[in-house]
Amino acid sequence: MAATRIWIKNPLAVFTANAQDASGGLVVEDGRIVELLGAGQQPTAPCQQTFDAREHVLLPGLINTHHHFYQTLTRAWAPVVNQPLFPWLKTLYPVWARLTPEKLALASKVALAELLLSGCSTAADHHYLFPGGLEQAIDVQVEVVRELGMRAMLTRGSMSLGEADGGLPPQHTVQSGEAILADSQRLVERYHQRGDGAQIQIALAPCSPFSVTQDIMRASAELAEQLGVRLHTHLAETLDEEDFCLRQFGLRTVDYLDSVGWLGPRTWLAHGIHFNAEEIARLGAAGTGICHCPSSNMRLASGICPSVELEAAGAPLGLGVDGSASNDASNLLLEARQALYIQRLRYGAEQITPERVLGWATRGSARLLGRDDIGELAVGKQADLALFKLDELRFSGSHDPLSALLLCGADRADRMMIAGQWRVIDGQIEGLDVAQLIADHRQAARELVNG
């Protein structure tokens, strides 16, 4: 039987994340984009379905490249509301250590549902907590991703440097190098999909310089090369981290990264704030990517990512919402708005346009994840589409629909298509009882914090 052809017809505005024209819409068949149409053009062959997008702004599905799904259970928790990164972590680690598989499943479902409703089709999660009973954490997340029909890069995080050895995490939250590497290999062999249209991918992601040993950093880089997967970690988020690296290793952060075999195109880093000019040049030359997390960086008063210099040096740049205990939301379109504004503070209004920032959230983020099949509207790309209406009071009087998404604060997609399947219709996730999910998640959050 022939695949159904769907014409997404005549959008109000469209952002393709490239120089191509899709003002007349696009045609989807068998999960891919098969035609882009200019104004007034018709599909070259009949379409069984037509979706009239005259009231919708059309974007590629947004791509979130750094998150901690489990943290939705500790949003806006009073003891850490006013703390910077290191005290914030030390206060939260004992709470997070009480995670269970059931609580992680609820936290992941909330994070992914919130992302999906914000226009996000692909999400990277950085899960590094594996206390007793939670050894199958990534397996739990795989099931939730499949249930919601999204794409995910699930990174197998790790912590192996506990307080007893000069690290930040409590001893009962760290694992041995042997356990970390064995589980990393198991997950890649079991779940990692390759090639166009992959739904589940796995990367290796030691948490940070202050929570893993040099040995696990080196061994993870070697295993990632052997298995052909990507590498991810936090780096240069705060000056405290820089001081820690100098004290513990006698190296600045990029020197440390280089010393453990991580400075290359396989790697993308979360935050990337505190680099000097020479370090930026080295990152760019190596093709190492940076995920900008503006809300978290402002919330924890960490600093501002030097985006323009990084891009000019050749480093791929994308966006991430970061963990929901430092954002405290999982909304990628609002994250793009934050990126627009904080980067304008640093570089001025002329350089940081809505189109540039939407490019970070789509094409740039796809590059961080090593993918060229998503993040753009073009023939042959996956049919991952986000459609937004501008019919609420906040948009009244706006003139440029694309700019209005960010400037007027759009925060919810009306429609989401992933791999040619509608996953959000009229602002609602297909098949998900959101009210029940909220009730269950709130109960789990109370239990986790109260111990």
Side-chain angles (χ1 to χ4, degrees), residues 414-426:
D414 181 64
R415 287 252 175 172
M416 281 295 299
M417 176 182 281
I418 302 175
Q421 301 293 315
W422 291 116
R423 296 295 178 185
V424 173
I425 296 176
D426 297 332

Side-chain angles (χ1 to χ4, degrees), residues 105-392:
L106 285 167
S108 299
K109 191 178 290 190
V110 163
L112 283 164
E114 197 180 350
L115 284 166
L116 182 58
L117 289 170
S118 77
C120 176
S121 54
T122 302
D125 190 58
H126 189 182
H127 188 87
Y128 49 80
L129 280 162
F130 297 85
L134 197 61
E135 291 83 5
Q136 310 293 309
I138 306 299
D139 305 76
V140 169
Q141 293 187 315
V142 166
E143 292 309 309
V144 178
V145 173
R146 287 174 173 166
E147 182 183 342
L148 289 177
M150 296 176 70
R151 303 186 198 277
M153 173 73 84
L154 299 173
T155 75
R156 203 299 181 182
S158 53
M159 297 197 295
S160 62
L161 187 70
E163 286 175 316
D165 301 306
L168 217 59
Q171 284 304 121
H172 64 287
T173 65
V174 303
Q175 290 182 297
S176 70
E178 294 77 16
I180 290 164
L181 296 169
D183 194 48
S184 296
Q185 181 150 358
R186 176 188 72 84
L187 290 164
V188 172
E189 290 173 352
R190 181 166 183 182
Y191 295 117
H192 184 71
Q193 298 172 334
R194 302 179 191 273
D196 287 2
Q199 181 182 22
I200 305 284
Q201 295 192 313
I202 304 292
L204 308 189
C207 183
S208 63
F210 49 82
S211 56
V212 295
T213 61
Q214 288 171 287
D215 287 346
I216 203 66
M217 288 291 284
R218 286 195 192 93
S220 294
E222 290 164 7
L223 185 60
E225 185 166 7
Q226 176 191 323
L227 298 175
V229 296
R230 297 183 77 73
L231 289 166
H232 182 53
T233 193
H234 299 94
L235 199 80
E237 182 176 1
T238 67
L239 292 172
D240 284 346
E241 180 193 329
E242 189 177 296
D243 292 342
F244 179 92
C245 284
L246 285 168
R247 253 191 346 267
Q248 191 83 358
F249 313 118
L251 298 167
R252 283 176 57 85
T253 52
V254 174
D255 291 324
Y256 173 73
L257 202 69
D258 199 5
S259 76
V260 292
W262 276 59
L263 195 59
R266 191 183 301 280
T267 300
W268 88 100
L269 307 168
H271 304 292
I273 296 168
H274 298 286
F275 297 133
N276 61 32
E278 186 249 349
E279 290 164 341
I280 288 171
R282 288 168 66 194
L283 289 161
T288 299
I290 306 294
C291 170
H292 177 32
C293 304
S295 293
S296 177
N297 296 163
M298 287 187 272
R299 157 84 151 78
L300 298 172
S302 301
I304 304 175
C305 174
S307 63
V308 170
E309 288 91 342
L310 284 161
E311 280 199 304
L317 194 81
L319 289 187
V321 300
D322 199 11
S324 294
S326 69
N327 184 310
D328 293 37
S330 306
N331 190 305
L332 196 53
L333 196 62
L334 287 182
E335 202 64 31
R337 186 178 200 238
Q338 295 281 51
L340 178 79
Y341 290 149
I342 194 172
Q343 291 295 325
R344 282 188 171 191
L345 276 182
R346 186 168 187 138
Y347 298 108
E350 298 89 352
Q351 284 200 73
I352 310 297
T353 64
E355 290 80 7
R356 184 172 191 171
V357 172
L358 288 171
W360 294 340
T362 53
R363 184 184 64 253
S365 283
R367 283 187 68 196
L368 292 195
L369 302 186
R371 299 192 66 157
D372 59 9
D373 61 328
I374 57 177
E376 296 182 52
L377 304 182
V379 171
K381 305 291 185 185
Q382 294 294 305
D384 293 2
L385 313 175
L387 295 96
F388 297 85
K389 278 189 168 184
L390 304 181
D391 57 355
E392 295 178 64

Side-chain angles (χ1 to χ4, degrees), residues 28-43:
V28 171
E29 186 175 1
D30 199 22
R32 294 173 184 257
I33 298 167
V34 294
E35 286 187 70
L36 294 189
L37 305 171
Q41 290 184 331
Q42 300 284 317

Side-chain angles (χ1 to χ4, degrees), residues 15-59:
F15 176 75
T16 58
N18 53 46
Q20 299 186 53
D21 177 18
S23 52
L26 52 81
V27 178
V28 171
E29 186 175 1
D30 199 22
R32 294 173 184 257
I33 298 167
V34 294
E35 286 187 70
L36 294 189
L37 305 171
Q41 290 184 331
Q42 300 284 317
T44 56
C47 294
Q48 289 75 38
Q49 295 178 23
T50 299
F51 178 75
D52 185 347
R54 78 177 82 176
E55 295 182 352
H56 292 82
V57 181
L58 172 63
L59 309 179

